[in-house]
Amino acid sequence: MMPDPTSDQPDASRLRRWRELLQSEREAAALYERLAQAETGERREVLRELAAVERRHAAHWEGRLRDAGAEVPPPGAVPLRTRLLGRIADHWSVAAVLPLVERSEKADAGTYDAEPDAAPGMAGEERGHARTLSHLNESRPSAREGIARRETWHRGDRSGALRAAVFGVSDGLVSNTALVMGFAGSGSSRTAIVLAGVAGLLAGSFSMAAGEYVSMSGQREMYEREIGLESQELEEDPESEREELVLLYRAKGLSKQEAGKVADTIMADRDVALDTLAREELGLDPDALGSPWSAAVSSMLTFALGALVVILPYLVTGGTTALVAAVCLFLVALAAVGAGIGLLNGRTAWRSAARQVVVGALAAAVTFAVGRLIGTSVS
C-alpha cells in the first residue's frame, strides 16, 4: 500500500504550502463576497455560494494547521486586487470584471489535482468554479433584474471603452516616448523635441480614435447584419429555427425530449428566441455590440494621457535634466500600467510591470540610438 501522505508530521515546506493555500482561499472568498455586494438576484446568490465554498476550503487548511500544532495566520487586510475589482464592479458592472476572475480561476483550476493534503472533492469544486463563472458571463439577467439594473447596463464595458483605454494609454506612452527619444538622441533643440512630442500626441490620439471608430463600426455593422438575418429566418421559418435549437442543446448533452422542451420554452418568446439563437448559433452577444464613439473617445483621451508623460519635463527645462526626468517618468508610468494590467488579470503585479518596462524601454532605447546615429552622421 502507498503510505498516507497525511499521516506523518508535516515539514516546514508543507506547512508553508498549507498557509499559502489558506491565504489564497481567503482572498477568493473575500473577492466573491465583494462582487456579490455589487450584484442582484440569483447572480448574487451564486457568487455568495462560491464564497461559501472558498471559506470551507479555507477552514480545511486551518484545520490541517491546527492538527499539526502549527500557527494559523489571522485573516489579513482585503487584498488590493479585491478592492480594485470591487470598485470597477461598483462603477461599471460585475459583468465588466467577471471575465478577469474567470480567467484567473481557469489558470488555478488544477491547484488541487495533485495536492495530497486536499480534502476529497476540493479539486472538482475548484474546477467547477471556472465553469460557474463562465455560465454567469454568458447568462442573461431576467426581465425583472434587467429593469432594476438598467443604469448599470449603461455603465458596463459593452462599449469597448475599457479595452480601448488600456491599449490607448500603453500605446501613447510607448510610441510617443520612442518618438521623443529619437529626437533627443539626435541632439535636437528643446523646441524641436517639444514640437515633435506634441505632434506625436495629436497625431497618435486622432489616429487611435479614428482607428477605433472604424473598427468598432465595422464590427457592429457586421454583428447587426448577422442578427438581422437571424431575425428574418426566425420570422419566415420558426420551425427550422426550433430544430436548430434542439440540435444545439442535444449537442450540450440533453436528451431529445429535454432539448425539445427547452426549445419550446425559448421559442414561446420571440425576443428570447432571437437572443438565444444569436448567442448559441452565431456566438454573438446582442448586448455587447459596442459603441464606436465610446471606444474612440476613450482611446483618444488615454493615448493623449500616456503620450503627455514624456513631454512634461521638456515643458519645464531642457538638456540632460529633461532627458533624465523624461526617462524616469516613462519607466514609472510603464511600471504602473503593467502592474495595473497584472492586478486586473489576477497575476503578479511586479512581473507584469517588469515585462511592460522591458518592452517599452527597449523600444525607446532603439529609437534613441537611431536618433543619435542619424544626428551624428548628419552633423
Side-chain angles (χ1 to χ4, degrees):
M1 292 181 60
M2 294 289 292
D4 182 1
T6 64
S7 61
D8 56 330
Q9 183 65 23
D11 57 17
S13 63
R14 267 174 85 187
L15 292 175
R16 184 169 58 253
R17 171 67 174 164
W18 292 355
R19 291 190 180 98
E20 290 173 353
L21 292 171
L22 170 60
Q23 179 66 19
S24 176
E25 298 292 358
R26 284 173 171 173
E27 290 180 359
L31 175 58
Y32 288 132
E33 281 290 357
R34 180 64 183 83
L35 294 182
Q37 295 173 13
E39 262 295 1
T40 58
E42 293 184 5
R43 293 161 69 90
R44 171 182 287 179
E45 298 306 315
V46 171
L47 289 168
R48 284 179 172 168
E49 289 175 11
L50 291 175
V53 172
E54 302 290 13
R55 285 195 296 270
R56 189 169 69 247
H57 291 179
H60 168 79
W61 298 116
E62 289 177 4
R64 294 307 301 266
L65 288 168
R66 290 195 187 95
D67 293 343
E71 179 185 0
V72 177
V78 177
L80 175 61
R81 177 173 179 256
T82 298
R83 297 199 301 271
L84 179 60
L85 291 177
R87 288 179 181 177
I88 293 175
D90 289 338
H91 185 68
W92 280 295
S93 69
V94 174
V97 300
L98 275 182
L100 302 173
V101 182
E102 180 189 352
R103 190 180 308 159
S104 178
E105 283 287 2
K106 285 181 177 178
D108 299 334
T111 299
Y112 293 136
D113 288 353
E115 177 57 59
D117 299 316
M122 286 177 66
E125 288 175 335
E126 285 295 331
R127 288 193 300 271
H129 286 182
R131 292 194 296 269
T132 300
L133 289 171
S134 178
H135 290 313
L136 280 179
N137 276 327
E138 296 171 358
S139 65
R140 183 186 184 189
S142 66
R144 177 176 55 82
E145 290 177 313
I147 294 172
R149 298 169 58 205
R150 185 166 297 163
E151 290 305 314
T152 304
W153 185 94
H154 288 296
R155 292 195 302 271
D157 189 44
R158 293 178 176 90
S159 64
L162 185 59
R163 174 190 62 83
V166 171
F167 284 108
V169 70
S170 180
D171 287 349
L173 185 61
V174 174
S175 64
N176 212 43
T177 298
L179 174 64
V180 169
M181 289 298 105
F183 273 79
S186 70
S188 299
S189 66
R190 172 189 171 191
T191 301
I193 293 173
V194 172
L195 286 175
V198 172
L201 184 154
L202 293 175
S205 297
F206 287 111
S207 176
M208 287 285 291
E212 282 290 340
Y213 181 84
V214 171
S215 174
M216 290 292 293
S217 295
Q219 175 181 282
R220 185 182 181 91
E221 289 168 1
M222 181 187 69
Y223 287 174
E224 288 175 340
R225 178 179 179 277
E226 293 292 332
I227 294 172
L229 291 173
E230 195 65 35
S231 176
Q232 184 178 347
E233 291 176 2
L234 182 62
E235 188 73 30
E236 295 174 352
D237 193 358
E239 186 58 32
S240 295
E241 297 301 310
R242 178 192 176 278
E243 290 302 318
E244 289 178 3
L245 284 175
V246 172
L247 290 175
L248 284 169
Y249 287 114
R250 289 187 67 186
K252 291 177 180 291
L254 298 183
S255 67
K256 184 176 182 179
Q257 183 178 9
E258 291 171 334
K261 289 180 179 178
V262 172
D264 288 337
T265 302
I266 292 172
M267 294 296 293
D269 188 318
R270 188 184 183 283
D271 291 337
V272 173
L274 179 59
D275 184 90
T276 304
L277 286 165
R279 294 173 188 271
E280 299 286 358
E281 185 180 343
L282 304 177
L284 303 177
D285 183 356
D287 296 329
L289 298 183
S291 167
W293 282 111
S294 294
V297 171
S298 175
S299 179
M300 180 178 67
L301 293 179
T302 52
F303 183 97
L305 179 63
L308 182 63
V309 169
V310 73
I311 305 175
L312 290 175
Y314 286 96
L315 297 177
V316 179
T317 184
T320 303
T321 302
L323 176 62
V324 172
V327 170
C328 291
L329 284 176
F330 171 59
L331 294 177
V332 170
L334 272 179
V337 171
I341 293 174
L343 286 171
L344 288 175
N345 286 331
R347 291 292 168 260
T348 308
W350 70 264
R351 185 170 298 176
S352 297
R355 179 180 61 189
Q356 193 85 354
V357 167
V358 169
V359 174
L362 181 61
V366 168
T367 55
F368 182 86
V370 171
R372 174 59 61 88
L373 180 62
I374 294 175
T376 302
S377 63
V378 170
S379 61

